[in-house]
């Protein structure tokens, strides 16, 4: 029962942010011109990766919400490096998590945390490498941006992909565009992400149920503590804001500031759901580059944090007060019910399609 209860609580906690991410992805798909993404995020290279990291850093999206948003960017024309950088920087930091870090951990951690997050995003994006296999790995998804002008009429419907559709776009009302964005989010994107999201939440519930907090606090500081934190954080499903009170508790329990920073970086960015989507959208090789960038930079900044605190006396002071929910429970519950309805709808559609295929094959 504890496992099911923890799963349900994590699902409710994630539901509003997931729906926000789906909405952002749908709006990007409809309103953002393809040539804008191709110009700013479509090319591989260091500058493009930096742009994507800086775009994602202030956004208040957690691990669950960034997945559909990143897929929306990718399928709208963003390169692998840019998509990776956005996928790392967005959940690791944000304006909300920085403010919470300042309150709970002090000014030093609120400064070094976003710097480390942006650096890890840039490194991971660069390590993913050039987008040479893009057409081979995702031909259907990228046909919108690779086909000729009028040939895009046969591709998956999308507002911004065909220059021959400009007269039709001019006639569309804003409400029609919003409906198209919602339809894209609730069908294609949710269908592509819901399996890995459920797997990620399940593993997070397992960790929350069966791994006590004392398991982390017993390691204290050093490389062993950081590696243990990383191993625990991979199956976890936690956003940057929610990880901050846990980090403050770990500090009070004797875990070093460096290991705490590693937890705040690795926890939101290396969960199983994100890794599954990275493998599916960017390729299996990208998973290794992704983990190398995130974990490598997290360890470097972890050691740097401990060094600065020891040598220069920077104060890292956990100030745990009364706990407040980021969002009201009633809002999380409503979003959770809506999300369950949307997922069940997709499951029914998939089963009906499977029955039709099976029936045709029998006849």
């Amino acid at each position: 029962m504890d496992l099911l209860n923890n799963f349900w609580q994590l699902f409710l906690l994630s539901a509003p942010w997931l729906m926000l991410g789906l909405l952002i992805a749908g709006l990007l798909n409809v309103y953002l011109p393809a040539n804008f993404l191709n110009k700013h995020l479509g090319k591989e290279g260091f500058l493009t990766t930096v742009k994507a990291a800086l775009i994602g850093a202030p956004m208040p999206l957690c691990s669950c919400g960034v997945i559909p948003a990143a897929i929306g960017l990718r399928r709208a024309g963003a390169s692998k490096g840019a998509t990776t950088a956005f996928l790392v920087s967005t959940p690791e930091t944000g304006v909300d998590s920085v403010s919470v870090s300042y309150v709970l951990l002090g000014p030093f951690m609120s400064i070094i945390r976003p710097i480390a997050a942006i650096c890890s995003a840039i490194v991971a994006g660069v390590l993913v490498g050039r987008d040479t296999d893009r057409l081979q790995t995702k031909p259907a998804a990228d046909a919108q941006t690779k086909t000729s002008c009028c040939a895009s009429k046969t591709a998956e419907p999308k507002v911004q992909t065909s220059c021959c559709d400009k007269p039709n776009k001019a006639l569309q009302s804003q409400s029609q565009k919003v409906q198209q964005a919602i339809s894209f989010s609730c069908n294609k994107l949710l269908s592509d992400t819901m399996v890995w999201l459920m797997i990620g939440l399940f593993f997070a519930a397992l960790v929350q149920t069966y791994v006590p907090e004392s398991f982390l606090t017993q390691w204290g500081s050093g490389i062993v503590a950081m590696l243990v934190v990383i191993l625990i954080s991979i199956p976890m499903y936690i956003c940057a804001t929610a990880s901050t009170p846990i980090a403050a508790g770990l500090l009070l329990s004797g875990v070093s500031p460096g290991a705490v920073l590693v937890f705040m970086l690795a926890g939101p960015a290396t969960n199983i759901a994100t890794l599954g989507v990275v493998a599916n959208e960017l390729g299996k090789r990208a998973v290794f580059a992704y983990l190398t960038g995130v974990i490598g930079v997290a360890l470097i900044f972890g050691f740097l944090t401990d060094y600065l605190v020891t040598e220069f006396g920077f104060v890292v002071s956990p100030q745990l007060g009364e706990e407040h929910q980021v969002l009201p429970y009633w809002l999380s519950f409503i979003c959770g019910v809506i999300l369950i309805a949307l997922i069940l709808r997709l499951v029914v559609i998939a089963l009906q399609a499977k029955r039709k295929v099976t029936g045709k094959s029998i006849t």
Side-chain angles (χ1 to χ4, degrees), residues 24-350:
I24 291 175
L27 294 175
L28 287 173
N29 183 268
V30 172
Y31 283 99
L32 200 60
N35 58 352
F36 176 86
L37 282 176
N38 290 331
K39 178 180 178 182
H40 293 281
L41 300 180
K43 297 180 180 179
E44 293 292 349
F46 183 75
L47 183 59
T48 302
T49 304
V50 172
K51 285 182 182 180
L54 293 176
I55 290 173
M59 295 185 67
L61 287 177
C62 65
S63 308
C64 52
V66 71
I67 291 175
I71 294 177
L73 278 177
R74 171 65 175 161
R75 298 186 180 182
S79 65
K80 280 188 176 182
T83 303
T84 302
F86 180 85
L87 195 58
V88 174
S89 68
T90 304
E92 283 190 343
T93 188
V95 291
D96 52 345
S97 63
V98 171
S99 61
V100 174
S101 298
Y102 182 84
V103 173
L104 294 181
L105 303 174
F108 175 72
M109 293 295 278
S110 68
I111 293 174
I112 198 168
R113 181 180 189 176
I115 294 175
I118 293 173
C119 289
S120 66
I122 294 173
V123 172
V126 171
L127 289 178
V128 164
R130 289 195 169 275
D131 213 4
T132 53
D133 58 343
R134 183 172 181 180
L135 285 176
Q136 288 77 15
T137 55
K138 286 291 171 184
D142 294 331
Q144 315 155 34
T145 57
K146 295 296 181 181
T147 53
S148 62
C149 171
C150 297
S152 62
K153 291 181 179 179
T154 60
E156 183 180 338
K158 188 175 178 181
V159 174
Q160 71 271 26
T161 56
S162 173
C163 58
C164 300
D165 291 333
K166 288 182 179 179
N168 295 330
K169 289 193 294 184
L171 297 176
Q172 282 186 322
S173 65
Q174 293 299 317
S175 61
Q176 288 174 322
K177 289 186 177 182
V178 172
Q179 289 176 3
Q180 184 178 356
I182 294 175
S183 176
F184 177 79
S185 300
C186 296
N187 290 283
K188 180 62 177 173
L189 280 183
L190 183 58
S191 176
D192 290 343
T193 59
M194 65 180 184
V195 174
W196 282 109
L197 286 168
M198 294 301 103
I199 292 174
L201 287 174
F202 176 74
F203 274 92
L206 281 176
V207 172
Q208 185 174 336
T209 304
Y210 297 110
V211 179
E213 186 177 298
S214 58
F215 180 80
L216 292 176
T217 59
Q218 66 179 318
W219 299 101
S221 60
I223 184 64
V224 176
M226 295 179 189
L227 292 176
V228 170
V229 165
I230 290 172
L231 291 175
I232 294 298
S233 66
I234 288 178
M236 289 189 71
Y237 207 74
I238 189 169
C239 66
T241 302
S243 68
T244 309
I246 299 176
L250 292 175
L251 276 175
L252 287 174
S253 301
V255 177
S256 71
V260 167
L261 180 63
V262 170
F263 169 77
M264 292 192 296
L265 294 175
T270 61
N271 60 79
I272 291 177
T274 301
L275 297 180
V277 171
V278 169
N280 185 54
E281 293 293 323
L282 305 180
K284 293 181 179 179
R285 190 187 68 84
V287 176
F288 178 77
Y290 183 96
L291 288 173
T292 301
V294 173
I295 294 175
V297 174
L299 289 174
I300 291 173
F301 270 89
F303 284 112
L304 177 62
T305 298
D306 284 340
Y307 173 79
L308 293 176
V309 170
T310 302
E311 295 296 324
F312 298 97
F314 289 107
V315 177
V316 180
S317 53
Q319 304 171 32
L320 289 176
E322 183 181 356
E323 184 179 355
H324 297 278
Q325 290 183 317
V326 178
L327 294 175
Y329 179 80
W330 62 266
L331 178 59
S332 298
F333 184 82
I334 292 175
C335 291
V337 172
I338 294 174
L339 188 58
I340 290 175
L342 292 174
I343 292 175
L344 291 177
R345 170 180 168 272
L346 291 177
V347 171
V348 171
I349 292 175

